[in-house]
Amino acid sequence: MRIVTSVRGMQRLARRWRRGGPRVALVPTMGYLHAGHLSLVKLARRKAGRNGRVVVSIYVNPAQFGPGEDFARYPRDLARDKKHCRAAGVDVLFVPPDREMYPDSQNEAFSTFVVEHRLSRGLEGASRPAHFKGVTTVVAKLFNIILPDLAVFGAKDFQQAAVIQQMVRDLNIPVKITVAPIVREADGLALSSRNAYLSPAERRQAVVLRQAIQLAQKKVAASRRFLPASRLRGELIRFIQRQPAARVDYVEFFDPKNLEPVRQVARGVQMALAVFLGKTRLIDNARL
Ligand code: PAF
């Protein structure tokens, strides 16, 4: 496995691959890799084909964290990530330092951002106003640096995947986006690097996100007609907040195609939620 830290080095390699023709699959991450990331790598390997190349990028992107969020304490363990990537058969690990990705940010000379204006408004975008501007900008930069044919994102970040698909369509970026299913712990908690923040008591209670989704799915399956979103939301918030460490940020029901909120919930509606367990904010989602 080759480790590349400079943008120029990565671009040189990417251009060479372009001439030679192997399919290049990218898995963009912020590191602290877990089985969820490794499932993306596996899918990337399959999609790239036998002669293809799989690139994993690790970059904790400051631009997608708001003031007071967890950028400084976001978990990092490059030595462990390298081992995981080697074992998973990754061809190139791209790990740029900040000075490579945002060379002039100190003097504010970095001034071009990619902003998606429709799908990124609600849900995570409402709670974390500058988040998606940071995500789309860094993903567009990674696409320009690595020139992948395809990129794999996780379905846990449902809105992120939708925003990136929109960006790729709008800007005619020749990258095929694949969205891989959520990987869960045995008790149903979605894998996330942020699970590492949880105390043992918070970890036990964190399963409530999955349980809330299952409760909603059960109610929708049992009802013959539409369920008013406001009533279902209220029931789920009460259910979640029975856990002493839990505080709901949002529970939303929306159309999975355009992310527009719905007033009536029925089969096929997407549900997403964000819940604080102590200071740790976790997200999850599912089709009802
Ligand atoms: O999902 C993530 O880990 C990040 O948002 C991404 C896509 C790597 C961009 O920094």
Side-chain angles (χ1 to χ4, degrees):
M1 182 178 76
R2 195 156 161 180
I3 295 172
V4 179
T5 55
S6 78
V7 167
R8 277 181 79 174
M10 189 66 238
Q11 279 179 321
R12 215 178 301 128
L13 193 57
R15 277 199 292 265
R16 185 152 16 103
W17 285 339
R18 281 265 132 173
R19 286 195 293 273
R23 254 169 104 66
V24 178
L26 168 66
V27 180
T29 81
M30 298 205 297
Y32 210 69
L33 304 179
H34 50 64
H37 295 114
L38 299 177
S39 76
L40 307 185
V41 172
K42 206 163 156 191
L43 188 58
R45 165 62 59 211
R46 212 173 69 219
K47 298 256 170 200
R50 280 187 69 190
N51 300 322
R53 301 284 189 278
V54 174
V55 181
V56 169
S57 64
I58 295 184
Y59 182 60
V60 184
N61 171 35
Q64 69 188 73
F65 290 79
E69 290 186 356
D70 56 342
F71 172 68
R73 69 180 191 116
Y74 194 84
R76 294 159 169 91
D77 189 341
L78 187 56
R80 185 168 148 275
D81 288 346
K82 280 183 191 167
K83 274 194 210 143
H84 279 314
C85 287
R86 259 193 209 103
V90 169
D91 296 293
V92 171
L93 186 57
F94 179 53
V95 199
D98 284 340
R99 63 175 185 283
E100 285 287 318
M101 291 301 276
Y102 298 107
D104 298 319
S105 62
Q106 293 308 318
N107 56 15
E108 299 192 338
F110 183 93
S111 57
T112 305
F113 291 87
V114 178
V115 185
E116 193 286 329
H117 282 285
R118 188 171 55 93
L119 303 179
S120 56
R121 271 193 317 235
L123 305 163
E124 287 300 285
S127 292
R128 308 179 65 194
H131 174 65
F132 283 117
K133 177 178 165 190
V135 170
T136 41
T137 300
V138 83
V139 171
K141 281 166 72 70
L142 290 169
F143 286 173
N144 282 331
I145 296 165
I146 299 164
L147 305 177
D149 297 286
L150 64 113
V152 186
F153 293 84
K156 185 172 75 68
D157 297 289
F158 183 89
Q159 187 180 15
Q160 168 172 280
V163 167
I164 287 172
Q165 279 166 321
Q166 182 76 36
M167 172 185 85
V168 160
R169 267 198 307 276
D170 289 348
L171 301 183
N172 308 100
I173 301 177
V175 178
K176 185 173 180 330
I177 305 299
T178 296
V179 183
I182 299 177
V183 179
R184 297 181 180 279
E185 300 278 9
D187 67 356
L189 176 65
L191 295 193
S192 162
S193 305
R194 289 189 167 100
N195 293 350
Y197 297 147
L198 299 169
S199 70
E202 289 163 354
R203 170 63 191 85
R204 280 193 298 278
Q205 294 171 45
V207 70
V208 76
L209 279 88
R210 179 64 178 151
Q211 289 170 341
I213 289 174
Q214 286 169 329
L215 182 58
Q217 283 170 330
K218 219 163 89 186
K219 284 185 182 281
V220 167
S223 91
R224 295 228 199 97
R225 308 197 56 221
F226 292 102
L227 294 171
S230 54
R231 205 177 73 203
L232 184 57
R233 179 182 298 109
E235 286 176 30
L236 295 176
I237 291 175
R238 282 193 296 281
F239 172 78
I240 294 166
Q241 297 198 159
R242 289 210 307 245
Q243 301 300 323
R247 182 168 56 82
V248 173
D249 182 1
Y250 64 77
V251 173
E252 296 292 350
F253 307 100
F254 56 92
D255 180 335
K257 285 200 229 61
N258 56 19
L259 311 196
E260 288 298 325
V262 296
R263 289 187 177 192
Q264 304 289 341
V265 181
R267 274 168 208 260
V269 162
Q270 193 78 21
M271 167 179 167
L273 73 171
V275 177
F276 283 96
L277 274 302
K279 290 197 173 117
T280 304
R281 186 173 177 282
L282 299 180
I283 58 172
D284 203 343
N285 73 87
R287 191 70 53 90
L288 297 180

